[in-house]
Amino acid sequence: MKIDGVFSGGGIKGYALIGAISAIEEKGYRFVRVAGSSAGALIATFISAGYTAKEIKALMEEAELKHFLDPRKSWAPDGIAKWLFLYWRLGLYKGEALEQWVEKKLLDKQIRVFGDLPTHSLRIIASDLTNSRMMVIPDDLPSYGLDPSTFSIAKAVRMSASIPYFFEPTKLKKKDGVTVIVDGALLSNFPVWLFEQTRNEKKRPLLGVQLSPDLSNRVPNKIRNGFDLFKALFETMMDAHDLKYISKNVEKNIIFIPVDSVKTREFDIAGEQKRELIEKGYQHAKQFLQKWSY
């Protein structure tokens, strides 16, 4: 059966998404349109390029995540250099290594730009800080003076996965200045609303995969100090917009995967941890699909 899919962000926790799509494929479902933020954007991109769950699993298990942490060279001591990068570059790492890796994997499937994909088959969320707005790629590219058909998909993934302060923001240069783009999860971590607004329910079911407990089991934030406050603010920004769109009707089409064993930015996880996350996603999706009715 053909379905549409939405995948949430979650950084390194995104390995659980691979297990989920493995279970989905196993049941005979095939994605026609996909969307996602951050890690979800990466998985959605590989699906739209024609990679199977098995192939995505192989790619991500082999990936040396630490290679994506590409700092700029500096004459200053490490501690001082990091502060300088944060102040002047707005991030510790460039993000170019991630973009180049994604570009290479897409080229293996003869895919490079959005024009190489069927129309509306892939949508990626990013956050435009300059104009204080959410950015849906490729839909919103014309308003930035860019041609969607020639825009790099790998760059869109990098834009969506640019975790604030961790990776440098992507900067789009226009005649009237520079637009600063960061992680899409900041404004919409789980863009299920994209297809709710446009899809024909009689034509194709929608299935979402979210890396968090279900809405009835959300753990309240404990705010005891300034660091807790910042974390709570960030998580609230990530979730508040999307919660507005997850009605009880939509919730029944979402696979919730609680992932607390690793941190979002834990780029040094071992192969065994990767496999554990994939297995957790697989088991949760498999249990969900046994009773899913659309």
Side-chain angles (χ1 to χ4, degrees):
M1 174 180 285
K2 294 180 179 180
I3 62 174
D4 293 334
V6 182
F7 305 93
S8 79
I12 300 307
K13 298 177 182 181
Y15 273 91
L17 298 173
I18 301 170
I21 61 174
S22 296
I24 292 167
E25 280 190 10
E26 205 173 79
K27 290 286 288 186
Y29 298 116
R30 295 294 179 266
F31 293 106
V32 176
R33 298 186 300 173
V34 288
S37 287
S38 199
L42 175 63
I43 297 302
T45 292
F46 283 149
I47 291 173
S48 66
Y51 278 99
T52 65
K54 183 177 180 180
E55 290 174 326
I56 296 173
K57 180 181 177 181
L59 286 179
M60 296 306 298
E61 282 189 334
E62 295 169 1
E64 289 290 342
L65 300 182
K66 289 187 288 188
H67 290 171
F68 298 152
L69 306 182
D70 48 353
R72 293 185 179 277
K73 295 180 179 179
S74 173
W75 49 266
D78 188 57
I80 297 175
K82 286 184 177 180
W83 280 108
L84 290 173
F85 291 146
L86 282 173
Y87 188 81
W88 292 108
R89 295 290 184 175
L90 310 180
L92 296 174
Y93 305 102
K94 293 184 287 185
E96 293 175 359
L98 172 62
E99 180 179 345
Q100 291 166 2
W101 180 78
V102 174
E103 184 174 46
K104 181 178 183 302
K105 299 308 176 184
L106 290 178
L107 285 174
D108 288 342
K109 294 287 187 179
Q110 287 78 54
I111 301 292
R112 189 178 66 84
V113 296
F114 281 94
D116 296 327
L117 297 175
T119 304
H120 303 309
S121 62
L122 173 64
R123 297 160 98 184
I124 290 173
I125 301 295
S127 300
D128 176 350
L129 295 187
T130 300
N131 299 294
S132 302
R133 57 171 288 189
M134 190 185 305
M135 184 178 184
V136 180
I137 308 171
D139 303 35
D140 294 336
L141 291 176
S143 66
Y144 291 83
L146 298 168
D147 181 355
S149 67
T150 60
F151 194 81
S152 165
I153 300 172
K155 182 172 287 295
V157 172
R158 174 188 174 184
M159 292 161 68
S160 184
S162 294
I163 303 171
Y165 298 116
F166 197 70
F167 288 113
E168 293 179 15
T170 302
K171 297 181 179 180
L172 296 180
K173 296 181 179 179
K174 301 193 299 180
K175 292 180 179 180
D176 56 351
V178 175
T179 300
V180 177
I181 311 292
V182 299
D183 200 313
L186 187 67
L187 295 182
S188 185
N189 191 44
F190 185 52
V192 66
W193 49 272
L194 273 172
F195 293 149
E196 279 302 296
Q197 292 178 347
T198 62
R199 71 191 183 91
N200 181 339
E201 292 204 30
K202 294 181 179 179
K203 181 180 179 182
R204 206 161 39 240
L206 171 67
L207 185 60
V209 185
Q210 186 173 32
L211 301 175
S212 71
D214 64 53
L215 304 183
S216 60
N217 291 315
R218 295 178 69 84
V219 178
N221 291 312
K222 294 182 179 180
I223 304 173
R224 296 154 296 194
N225 53 51
F227 292 107
D228 289 342
L229 177 62
F230 180 81
K231 181 173 180 290
L233 283 170
F234 192 79
E235 290 182 353
T236 299
M237 285 188 291
M238 287 173 60
D239 295 337
H241 177 275
D242 300 321
L243 289 176
K244 184 172 64 174
Y245 290 93
I246 302 178
S247 63
K248 286 295 180 182
N249 185 51
V250 179
E251 189 177 349
K252 67 182 178 64
N253 296 324
I254 299 173
I255 302 170
F256 294 98
I257 306 175
V259 183
D260 301 313
S261 57
V262 298
K263 297 179 180 178
T264 301
R265 294 172 291 179
E266 198 172 331
F267 279 74
D268 58 349
I269 64 170
E272 183 60 30
Q273 289 176 292
K274 294 179 182 178
R275 289 186 286 274
E276 287 175 0
L277 286 170
I278 293 172
E279 180 64 19
K280 173 171 275 194
Y282 175 79
Q283 292 299 335
H284 276 270
K286 185 175 181 180
Q287 292 171 18
F288 174 90
L289 293 170
Q290 286 176 350
K291 54 186 178 182
W292 183 47
S293 59
Y294 39 82

